[in-house]
Amino acid sequence: QVQLVESGGGLVQAGGSLRLSCAVSTRTTSTYAVGWFRQAPGKEREFVASISRSGTSTYYADSVQGRCTISRDNAKNTVYLQMNRLKPEDTAVYYCAAGNNAFMLRTTRRADYWGQGTQVTVSS
């Protein structure tokens, strides 16, 4: 059983930066691969980035490649998404999700557990 809680969303000007956090709570000492997804009104949920259990492997959507960095601090049980040079089209509700494999999170767009989401709004 895994619980994920996102935070760090808010309103930011285009070109600005934002760091989202995902606090991961597990029943055991097991770690999970974690991905970030986003969904804008009227659009389907899309993959943003994912990171392996150890943090050694990361994957990004083409739309955010070069602007976003996913990382994790296992000592703090937290996964981060640093977003730079934000664009209005980045506006969405951002969700973190946990699964067994970061690569599979990217390819299947499915996860075992989901957070409640945090709103990111980029104004121009």
Side-chain angles (χ1 to χ4, degrees), residues 78-95:
T78 303
V79 176
Y80 305 96
L81 182 67
Q82 178 68 45
M83 302 186 291
N84 302 317
R85 302 189 303 281
L86 286 164
K87 306 174 181 179
E89 50 262 45
D90 292 320
T91 296
V93 176
Y94 284 70
Y95 302 88

Side-chain angles (χ1 to χ4, degrees), residues 18-122:
L18 205 61
R19 188 181 76 165
L20 306 183
S21 298
C22 176
V24 183
S25 177
T26 63
R27 295 289 188 271
T28 68
T29 56
S30 298
T31 58
Y32 289 82
V34 175
W36 284 96
F37 298 80
R38 66 187 183 186
Q39 186 168 26
K43 296 184 178 180
E44 294 185 347
R45 183 181 64 216
E46 66 174 326
F47 170 81
V48 178
S50 63
I51 188 168
S52 63
R53 300 183 184 191
S54 65
T56 58
S57 298
T58 57
Y59 306 93
Y60 298 93
D62 291 340
S63 59
V64 301
Q65 183 72 47
R67 298 191 297 117
C68 292
T69 301
I70 187 171
S71 62
R72 69 188 304 161
D73 186 341
N74 286 344
K76 296 181 179 179
N77 297 317
T78 303
V79 176
Y80 305 96
L81 182 67
Q82 178 68 45
M83 302 186 291
N84 302 317
R85 302 189 303 281
L86 286 164
K87 306 174 181 179
E89 50 262 45
D90 292 320
T91 296
V93 176
Y94 284 70
Y95 302 88
C96 63
N100 290 323
N101 185 285
F103 180 80
M104 293 302 293
L105 287 173
R106 181 187 70 176
T107 58
T108 68
R109 308 311 199 253
R110 294 184 175 90
D112 297 319
Y113 306 96
W114 294 86
Q116 84 288 351
T118 185
Q119 177 71 48
V120 172
T121 302
V122 183

